Structure formats: C-alpha cells, structure tokens
Amino acid sequence: MRAVHHWIDGKEQPGTSGRTADVFNPATGEVQARLDLATRSEVDEAIASAARAQVKWGATNPQRRARVMMEMVRLINRDMDKLAEMLSSEHGKTFPDAKGDVQRGLEVIEFAIGAPHLLKGEFIDGAGPGIDMYSMRQPLGVVAAITPFNFPAMIPLWKMGPALASGNAVILKPSERDPTVPNMLAALFKEAGLPDGVLQVVHGDKEAVDALLDSEVIQAVGFVGSTPIAQYIYERAAQTGKRAQCFGGAKNHMIIMPDADLDQAADALVGAGYGAAGERCMAISVAVPVGEETADRLIEKLVPRIEKLKVGPWTAGNDIDYGPVVTAAAKANILRLVERGVEQGAELVVDGRDFSLQGYENGFFVGPHLFDRVTPDMDIYKTEIFGPVLSTVRAKSYDEALDLVMSHEYGNGTAIFTRDGDTARDFASRCNIGMVGINVPIPVPLAYFTFGGWKKSGFGDLNQHGPDAFRFYTRTKTVTSRWPSGIKEGAAFNFKAMD
Ligand code: NAD
C-alpha cells in the first residue's frame, strides 16, 4: 500500500501519530494509499521550522523570489502529464480536466512572477516641509492554506504562488481525499530553488486544522471548502487575531432569456452542470429559463444532450465527459438529495439513479440527473448538491429570475444568456454575486483578476489571486520621514571629493 507522508523541511516525513486516512481510487472504490494525519504537536513543529526559514526568505529580494516562480512554471509544464495522471487517479476527474486543474494553478504562478511590481509601495515627496511619506508592503510571516478536494492542484497553487512570492512561509493543509499532488508540487518548488522549510505540507483532519487556527505564529489563513467549515475557520482564526479569507460553497444560477441562442445555452448548461461530475464551486446547478416557452424548448434541447453524456473512469480515454464523484459518502448524499427532490414534487426528467458502469460497479459513479419545475422551498434548490444534478426553476419574467439569484444565500458565480446588451448589463450591475458570466457559463476570472464569491460563498475581505492576493499576503507599513533643513552646507560651485 502506497503511503503519503507530510512534506517537511524539504523532504517527505512520515507522521508519528499512528492515525491515517484512506485515499481511494474513486473509479474502482479501492483504497490506493494511506495518508498520515498530523497531531497538534507535529503541526506546531512544522510551523516553528517554517518560522525560522521565513526570516531569510522574507529578506531575499523579490526578484530572486520571482525567479523561483519562473523555474516553477517550467517544472510544472515539464511534469504536467504526471501531475494530471495522479490528480485523476485520486480525484476521479477526466485527464483533460485534470490538466485544466493544473493549468489554472500554473497561471497564478505565472502571475506571481510579477511580484516585484506588485509589492511596490507608494511614495510622495514634500508632504510637508522636509517631509516625505512612503509605504511598503512586507510579508506577514508564516501563513496557512487549507484547501478542498475538488481542485487539488489549482487551489494550493493559488495560495502558494502569491504567498511565497510575497516572502511568506506557507503551511499547506490539503484535502485528505487527494493529497498526493500537493506533495508533488512541494517537491517541484524545492527543485525550483525554494529553500527548505519555507513550504510545509502537513496532512490531517480537524486536529491539524485547529492547531493551525490556534497557533500564535500563523498570521493569516486562506481557506477554500464548504460554507459551514469556511465560517468556522473564519471565526476561530479571528480569535487569535489572524487575517482570514474563507471561501465557501455555491449554488450558481444561469438565467436563459427568451432571446438567447438556446442551442448555445443548452451546450453551456451541460458542460457547466455536469463537467467534473458537478464537483466545481463554479458549476451551474440551477437553470432559470424565463417564460414557459423558453423553458419547454430548453428542456427539449437539454434531454438528448444529457442522455448522451459519457460517464467513465479517466483511464477510458479523452472522450469521457465526466468521472466518478470523490467518495462513497458523496455519492450517497447526492442520491439522497435526488430522492428528496422527487418526494418534494420536482419533476425528474432525466433519472440517473440506476446508473451502473460495467466493470466499475464499486466505483463512485453517479448518472446525470435533470430536474424540472423545482421551486425555491425545495431542499434540492436550497442545498449545494455538488454532483451531476441540474435543477430547472421556471421564472415568469427577468425580474423574477433576478430575484431568485439575489435571494439565494450563496453568491459565488452566475450567468445570463441573452442577445440583449441592456438586459445583460443590468444583470451584471445589479446581481449580488462575486463572478458574473454573460453568455459564459463558468466565469472563472483569469489569474490577473481576482476570484471570490459574495454572501455565504465568501467570508472576509480580499479575493484569491490577482492583485488582491498580494494585498492579503502582505501588510502595509507607512513611513513619514522628516529631514529638517539647515544641516546641509551652502552652495558649492566646484566638484567635491566624496569622503
Ligand atoms: P470541506 O469543507 O469538507 O473541506 C475543506 C478543507 O477543510 C479540507 O482541507 C478539510 O480537511 C478541512 N475540514 C473539513 N472538515 C473540517 C472540520 N470540521 N474542521 C476543520 N477543518 C475541516 O470541503 P470539500 O468537500 O473538500 O470541498 C468541496 C466544497 O468546497 C464545496 O462546498 C465547494 O463549493 C467548495 N469550494 C469552494 C470554492 C470557492 O472558491 N468558493 C472553490 C472550490 C471548492
């Protein structure tokens, strides 16, 4: 049985707790590795060592730190297939999708090469007589990143790139479900020239997370995961005065206006609803067609597309549309919610409940589901299902559709499909959602913009990547300097030797 250890001080380090977690192959349901789970004291030791390493790293000039990022870009590209294969085998997503996971993380490392520019402060001369004022951005020290299972390369890289390039040391606590890729990334950072101890990967569960939250050394926590845990982390981190940004769950709506190109909208919905088995925080899980006729035509176009979806293991080739969900528990939860939807009166237009894949009967595969006539009081509308289940809520008007988006507790992403610029503009301006797509179903901002949701999808200030990340991982010091006049000599008209 393969063992996954912690990555401490530049090397794999077996845990001492005696506690482990099973890492599954979601396609077969078999355990493929055992993961060490850290104790509080193991976490504390990793932090102490990181704090020692950070002193020199924080004082290294930004250009040299940026060069580590440059080399990291080369190494990730070199190992892209290796990383994606491991990612698919532990997460279950298709191979092209796994490459996309690595790629979107890589783009933030590319952005972090610009750290020297992003870390510059401001300056004004002559703020008063003999007075200049300037600000500088300094690293925080040791920061923690706690990441979810659904993007095991992208989200750790979103944290590590800006935090490390800003001169911090990072303790990464990745998801227990797919922990190997984060270790591989840490090994690549070492190869890229990152000094030992500056990046520690500590594996664990609540015990390890609580140790990070309670540590007086850790200065900031970047969390991504489900909303209840995001809120818990935000509150507990605040008790020791930490800076925290905690991103949570989602229920992303896509409005389809009567003037939309319905073939385009249906294609977009299928990709955004079922890609990665619906296990994306930016997945579209609610379709909101405006008007009965739009709804009828949309459902008519969706059904054959959904019935054609190819569900299978990543090893079956690149024409698989999506793979298994991450665990047996996730599968059971999705199917429980589907039953609840039926009980509460939603119309199950595509029923994936009996889906089974020959040869992979023990895998965590879930067939695609499409619900019609879902209403806002139903559990399948209120809850994040995080599976291949798309709900259709019919709206009578644009205002009713907008109201659904506005009233939902989550505010991560949303989209509108229309040919009318005025409607699109109004929607983008008025909706209370962090990321908006106009004829784009999954509007994930590129690395040089920032990523973050509103309402229960994001706690704290400042988003992930883009310039916000550099603000989050540094603090501002403002210096006011006064050099009184009268100490310099009078005018001199000849060159003087510098002594
Ligand atoms: P999760 O909340 O179960 O786990 C996230 C992290 O928190 C993991 O590292 C886990 O070990 C840790 N954790 C879990 N329970 C804990 C507890 N009781 N105390 C302390 N730590 C705990 O989330 P997940 O299932 O890994 O990921 C899926 C969720 O993440 C979905 O809700 C999805 O929408 C969300 N997500 C959000 C974004 C975003 O940017 N908003 C991005 C990706 C995923």
Side-chain angles (χ1 to χ4, degrees), residues 54-124:
Q54 189 273 332
V55 177
K56 198 162 165 211
W57 177 244
T60 301
N61 81 51
Q63 191 61 52
R64 286 183 189 274
R65 295 197 303 250
R67 283 189 197 125
V68 174
M69 300 296 144
M70 284 183 217
E71 181 61 1
M72 187 64 181
V73 167
R74 189 185 73 79
L75 296 174
I76 294 177
N77 279 313
R78 183 195 72 188
D79 286 4
M80 175 66 81
D81 284 4
K82 240 198 271 179
L83 290 161
E85 277 170 22
M86 178 53 77
L87 201 159
S88 288
S89 89
E90 290 189 351
H91 176 285
K93 64 177 74 174
T94 65
F95 185 62
D97 204 26
K99 279 171 117 171
D101 189 329
V102 180
Q103 176 64 29
R104 291 308 286 263
L106 169 64
E107 287 166 15
V108 171
I109 304 298
E110 289 172 343
F111 180 69
I113 294 171
H117 175 68
L118 291 155
L119 293 171
K120 285 187 299 194
E122 293 176 310
F123 178 87
I124 187 156

Side-chain angles (χ1 to χ4, degrees), residues 147-150 173 176 209 223-226 248-249 281 384 386 451:
T147 54
F149 81 83
N150 66 332
K173 205 305 286 172
E176 312 89 294
V209 171
F223 171 87
V224 182
S226 58
C281 68
E384 180 184 42
F386 226 51
F451 183 109

Side-chain angles (χ1 to χ4, degrees), residues 145-151 154-155 158 173-178 204-210 213 223-230 232-233 246-251 279-282 326 384 386 410 412 435 451-453 457-458 464:
I146 301 160
T147 54
F149 81 83
N150 66 332
F151 283 99
M154 180 183 86
I155 295 179
W158 283 8
K173 205 305 286 172
S175 170
E176 312 89 294
R177 317 248 178 273
D178 39 20
D205 51 12
K206 184 170 164 49
E207 181 174 347
V209 171
D210 287 348
L213 297 177
F223 171 87
V224 182
S226 58
T227 288
I229 309 298
Y232 164 75
I233 303 250
C246 301
F247 298 97
K251 194 80 177 175
E279 289 177 323
R280 289 182 183 138
C281 68
M282 288 294 276
V326 71
E384 180 184 42
F386 226 51
Y410 292 115
N412 213 36
M435 293 167 282
F451 183 109
S457 298
Q464 306 186 86

Side-chain angles (χ1 to χ4, degrees), residues 309-488:
L309 286 173
K310 287 203 187 93
V311 184
W314 72 276
T315 44
N318 290 351
D319 63 338
I320 295 295
D321 292 309
Y322 73 83
V325 297
V326 71
T327 55
K331 175 175 175 170
N333 187 46
I334 294 162
L335 293 176
R336 180 185 63 79
L337 281 160
V338 169
E339 289 302 334
R340 191 85 188 115
V342 174
E343 275 162 36
Q344 292 186 324
E347 221 174 89
L348 189 54
V349 186
V350 177
D351 184 351
R353 284 176 294 180
D354 291 332
F355 182 87
S356 171
L357 197 63
Q358 211 184 349
Y360 293 90
E361 288 79 3
N362 296 325
F364 311 137
F365 292 96
V366 180
H369 296 78
L370 174 66
F371 276 111
D372 194 5
R373 300 187 190 281
V374 174
T375 53
D377 55 320
M378 294 178 182
D379 290 349
I380 52 168
Y381 180 73
K382 291 189 278 193
T383 315
E384 180 184 42
I385 301 175
F386 226 51
V389 183
L390 180 64
S391 296
T392 310
V393 182
R394 295 173 174 234
K396 290 192 188 61
S397 63
Y398 165 68
D399 283 333
E400 194 182 314
L402 176 64
D403 190 49
L404 283 167
V405 171
M406 300 285 282
S407 309
H408 206 286
E409 67 170 337
Y410 292 115
N412 213 36
T414 188
I416 188 165
F417 273 61
T418 180
R419 288 190 173 96
D420 180 50
D422 177 44
T423 310
R425 215 174 153 264
D426 182 80
F427 180 68
S429 159
R430 281 166 68 196
C431 68
N432 52 4
I433 307 288
M435 293 167 282
V436 183
I438 297 172
N439 298 317
V440 171
I442 306 190
V444 175
L446 291 173
Y448 39 93
F449 283 85
T450 74
F451 183 109
W454 290 14
K455 299 189 275 183
K456 287 276 164 69
S457 298
F459 299 84
D461 192 15
L462 296 172
N463 282 347
Q464 306 186 86
H465 63 70
D468 267 18
F470 285 84
R471 291 192 194 104
F472 182 75
Y473 288 116
T474 54
R475 55 186 136 222
T476 308
K477 185 181 282 176
T478 310
V479 180
T480 306
S481 78
R482 178 159 178 254
W483 294 101
S485 60
I487 55 171
K488 56 182 175 294

Side-chain angles (χ1 to χ4, degrees), residues 20-48:
T20 58
D22 291 339
V23 180
F24 288 90
N25 174 348
T28 61
E30 285 159 7
V31 176
Q32 60 163 311
R34 290 244 152 71
L35 172 72
D36 294 340
L37 300 177
T39 58
R40 193 170 264 270
S41 62
E42 284 176 292
V43 174
D44 286 342
E45 277 168 35
I47 296 171

